[in-house]
Amino acid sequence: MSSMTVTPVSDGVYRVSDGARNWIAYAAGPADARWVFIDGRVYVIDAASRGMPRRKKGTDDHGALAAPMPATVVTVNVEPGQRVARGDVLIMLEAMKMELPVKAPRDATVKAIACREGELVQPGFPLLELE
Amino acid sequence: MSSMTVTPVSDGVYRVSDGARNWIAYAAGPADARWVFIDGRVYVIDAASRGMPRRKKGTDDHGALAAPMPATVVTVNVEPGQRVARGDVLIMLEAMKMELPVKAPRDATVKAIACREGELVQPGFPLLELE
Amino acid sequence: MFRRILIANRGEIAVRVSRACGELGIESVAVYSDADARALHVASADRAIRIGPAPPSESYLAIEAIIGAAQRTECDAVHPGYGFLSENPRFAAACVEAGITFIGPPADVIERMGSKIAARQIAQRAGVPIVPGATPSDQSDAAIADAARAIGFPVLLKPSEGGGGIGMKVVREEASLLPAIAQARREARAAFGDGTLYVERLVERPRHVEIQVLADHHDQIVHLFERECSIQRRHQKVVEETPSVALTPALRRRMGEAAVAVARAAGYRNAGTVEFLLDGTGDAARFYFLEMNTRLQVEHPVTEQVTGIDLVRAQIAVAAGERLPWTQAQLSQRGHAIEVRVYAEDPARDDLPQAGPLLLYREPMMPGIRVDSGVVEGAEISVHYDPLVAKLIASADTREAARRRAILALRRYPILGIRTNVSFLLALLEHPRFVSGELDTRFLDSEGESLRASLDGDAPPEALAVARAADEAIRSNARPAVHGNDPWSALRDWRG
Amino acid sequence: MFRRILIANRGEIAVRVSRACGELGIESVAVYSDADARALHVASADRAIRIGPAPPSESYLAIEAIIGAAQRTECDAVHPGYGFLSENPRFAAACVEAGITFIGPPADVIERMGSKIAARQIAQRAGVPIVPGATPSDQSDAAIADAARAIGFPVLLKPSEGGGGIGMKVVREEASLLPAIAQARREARAAFGDGTLYVERLVERPRHVEIQVLADHHDQIVHLFERECSIQRRHQKVVEETPSVALTPALRRRMGEAAVAVARAAGYRNAGTVEFLLDGTGDAARFYFLEMNTRLQVEHPVTEQVTGIDLVRAQIAVAAGERLPWTQAQLSQRGHAIEVRVYAEDPARDDLPQAGPLLLYREPMMPGIRVDSGVVEGAEISVHYDPLVAKLIASADTREAARRRAILALRRYPILGIRTNVSFLLALLEHPRFVSGELDTRFLDSEGESLRASLDGDAPPEALAVARAADEAIRSNARPAVHGNDPWSALRDWRG
């Protein structure tokens, strides 16, 4: 890995140089989710893994699917025990004037459903569980 | 005086309302010299006199005239004992590619000269004294 | 001219309209819901008035509240922006009843053009073609097959009650016609409880090309040329440009004349847009009337950049009874403009809308770049409204120069704190089909996945280095958590 | 086309050029002095290289250092911007010797047009008038009086060695001629130790109108119409616009042809500007060649806005040997553009330049507004360089609309931490003589005091209320003192 020099330009603005190439970069946010913008791309870098970045993924697939943002449940398309295939739309939410499909992240069986149509759910609220 | 409501919009940006009219305002700087921008005008308001603003004037006229910024002394046009009239150019400084005339703030007599041509002077550095 | 205009909208378009008012020496009055008390559109106006709680139905869609606000602030006109009440004939009528000028067409014209059926009839009467199609009154297999043959292959079989593409069947030749009719009817019944079918000529790889028109109250109507908006997804436009690479001067003239004919037949007033489906390119292309939008479009800036005309100012002048100051012959297109819509959404997660604070937000300021936005750094993208953050418009002498300019500007447009589609837009602007202008309305359906696939990637060393440096900077210099606990609530009622 | 361009400049023009490079797919290399290590122009480029300490003579004027930087970074061209080395023939020659293309005219043309005497001779040979004048070889009273009569009243008597208006005498009629000659000679001797006098026709209330030219290396020369820059102070332009209200189509054509004739006679290449003094307005006006600027002008954006041509891109293309892509007939003016120069200076204190941190700096982003700047919030206006903060360019369909747009934008252009001329510019744009376009080069001499007088005023209640609210905000939320002690010095050499 090359050696990088970081020179602050002003609040949140940095110049990064590897000795040859030069970038203008922007950074903000807390240490556990530092947002960095360079050349049209955004990286969210967590503190623990500086040097071991990962793009933060939405719902971690621990079986439970959660609402990504405050939303209204429009339809629940599955029932407990139902087999679903990766990509199937399990639940349709609505927020910000748009429909937000909650899709199956993998082939699985629906274990439980934790919301009902018309309900207003908060971010992180578990909507249903897969086996 | 009317009652003003101030609503912050974001960092340094405010909405001010007197109940009828509405302004977008910007503020920054330390309490003893708070800079405020409204509608194309800038006000520097000191803390002690909130409600009793004064436009900060450059050189307070206590007899000594000081350099307003880092500058080079180009010419000294007067001598101790000389009578000068308000507006006379006493000293010519140069900074930022421009000539900066130091003018007499009032009719007076030159008491002492504290700089010489070619000298680099710092802000606040007394250049000459009037009686 | 008006003395004071109420802007019945929020976000970038409210800011845009209040600036036009400022330039005309007209006072602007913003309205806001509780969620928008700190919004830029409120601070930007000369006056501001609360109209209700966050939900649009109780604020930006609340006709009574808005008319009341206009009366209390003694406004003589209302600009509706786009969306919300802009195409609501009851709102236009309510303004007139309250003695306030509605900056837009008359209520009856909005109503007429708001009905797809009535609008198509008007277009046909004006001699402007619509996509051939029919709902046969005899719904037997044989009658539907006859209708399909009369229209000509390829045809589309659609549930008459449907929408959104569900249950649609494409039939390209006689052999598959009867089985397709049976299947389409079954699916229509399953999805909508009604098996009635509509038969329509299928336009393959159509482009969405629309014509801006402007009509004064003295029977003068001009068009301001086309906008191509083929890059769309779920009927939401993402990229718009003008001129369209698909148009030749002769085709442009024909489409412009068709749009003016529709506007004239509708008794149109003020700014409006006639949308066409374009089949093919060049002089031989066919175009079909789709619908008319009886308001300012989101994408109006590309027209402004290329014609040099300020459409919002023109809207206000026309509403005030002024004559259009130009004839058709005096209008021209110069150069090229491309608009990209920056949405708060995550392209890596099905374009999921994002809400949250703009921790860092800096708009690129460079020659040929215009950004229309309603936010500033530190603002909050609210869950209550649409996720449009800003529109970035790049103008240059050629399409290629405008495209490169848009790319450079997006590369200098940091938005941190929420995910946006900026990197997706960059991939799109660099897609070979976008570069060559081979567009159709299914572009994002066919290319969206490959565009998204290019977005993933680990943080490069330079990003990691900046993240670390920011640690240091933030440790020594704690940047305010503008959107943490609210230190502002104590700030009311300072006596000045 | 070039692969990599070194930008031998700083500030807004360096940022401007690096963006043009980015749009062309050419790598840009910034140079910087120690004072500019954190400057925007450095961060904006694809590469950056230090060339010396803060004083310009050791950095931005150091030919060897800059040529060395271009060689080390393997640049194939250098863009000089304006100011600094842009009109230095030794620099242009040094580039060529080093095998690097100088983006500008050849060294000998720079040298020739840099000499006022040689440039005037070229203009005269090209049939372009200069202000009639002479230094009589016989300096007797009678001979000088004869020269004055030959030139025609009113005349100006000037010390031949002088400059800056010292010792100049205006003579309007025969009766005062001889006494004026005697007095002018005395004053010339006192001020310059030399009583030699130059006699010149006095142009009363002249306008400064210049013509942009562009010449390729294939003998094609076009002009891009005029810019009026009559609003100036101590030969520093403050407001520029195009078109000029003083020109008619016929006069514009004559001046354009004269400028092209001068450029052709000079063997000119690349972008240049021919400056004229304009006496009167309309078809009957006379114009006189003043000088030719052999570089990009500060005020080039107004031409870009009104012609739709990107001058920096054209400069690069021409230097790379490309042909101009337009004929004169294809070029046109559309609309109106006004540029105001935002300086870090205090209008209340003799325009004293200001240095210091930009505590808050937000550029107005609105339709028809372009800001070319080289700073961001938190940056420092340095004492070492010129006090130009930014150029704000307002474009619209008419002069009045552009003027109102510029005013609205300046009212939304907060710059805090240093004094600027923003409020002065606002007063200027609202001055009745500016509104009506009655301009001449002495406008600021005659109106400057009244403009300044309008600036004073106590803080209104709304400003006091904000100052108080900011107390609260800052107490709870300490904003970082970005420019206090330097927390950054420890941030070097992060391993990424």
Side-chain angles (χ1 to χ4, degrees), chain C residues 287-370:
Chain C
F287 57 88
Y288 303 106
F289 172 84
L290 276 181
E291 60 176 313
M292 181 161 192
N293 295 316
T294 57
R295 53 163 166 86
L296 192 67
Q297 302 280 97
V298 177
E299 60 270 23
H300 75 276
V302 294
T303 298
E304 295 185 323
Q305 295 303 119
V306 163
T307 62
I309 303 297
D310 186 318
L311 281 168
V312 177
R313 218 174 67 204
Q315 283 192 297
I316 295 170
V318 162
E322 293 186 12
R323 286 171 183 277
L324 291 179
W326 344 269
T327 62
Q328 187 66 53
Q330 286 170 320
L331 297 168
S332 66
Q333 295 174 296
R334 190 177 73 184
H336 197 99
I338 299 174
E339 172 179 288
V340 294
R341 299 196 192 180
V342 176
Y343 287 111
E345 63 184 24
D346 190 347
R349 291 172 63 203
D350 289 314
D351 303 326
L352 185 71
Q354 306 286 297
L358 295 168
L359 295 177
L360 185 144
Y361 177 84
R362 313 272 162 97
E363 292 173 357
M365 180 62 102
M366 40 182 98
I369 293 296
R370 162 178 170 184

Side-chain angles (χ1 to χ4, degrees), chain D residues 47-65:
Chain D
R47 288 160 192 263
I49 185 161
R50 178 190 173 278
I51 46 166
S57 58
E58 300 171 51
S59 50
Y60 300 107
L61 290 171
I63 294 180
E64 257 97 277

Side-chain angles (χ1 to χ4, degrees), chain C residues 218-264:
Chain C
H218 309 277
D219 284 327
Q220 206 193 340
I221 308 182
V222 298
H223 71 84
L224 286 91
F225 312 100
E226 79 277 15
R227 290 184 290 261
E228 170 155 7
C229 318
S230 297
I231 310 282
Q232 41 182 263
R233 148 201 94 186
R234 293 179 233 126
H235 300 285
Q236 190 181 46
K237 296 165 185 167
V238 178
V239 179
E240 301 100 345
E241 63 182 306
T242 186
S244 162
V245 298
L247 267 56
T248 50
L251 177 58
R252 178 172 295 117
R253 196 170 48 245
R254 281 165 53 213
M255 294 182 74
E257 286 166 1
V260 169
V262 170
R264 195 170 297 283

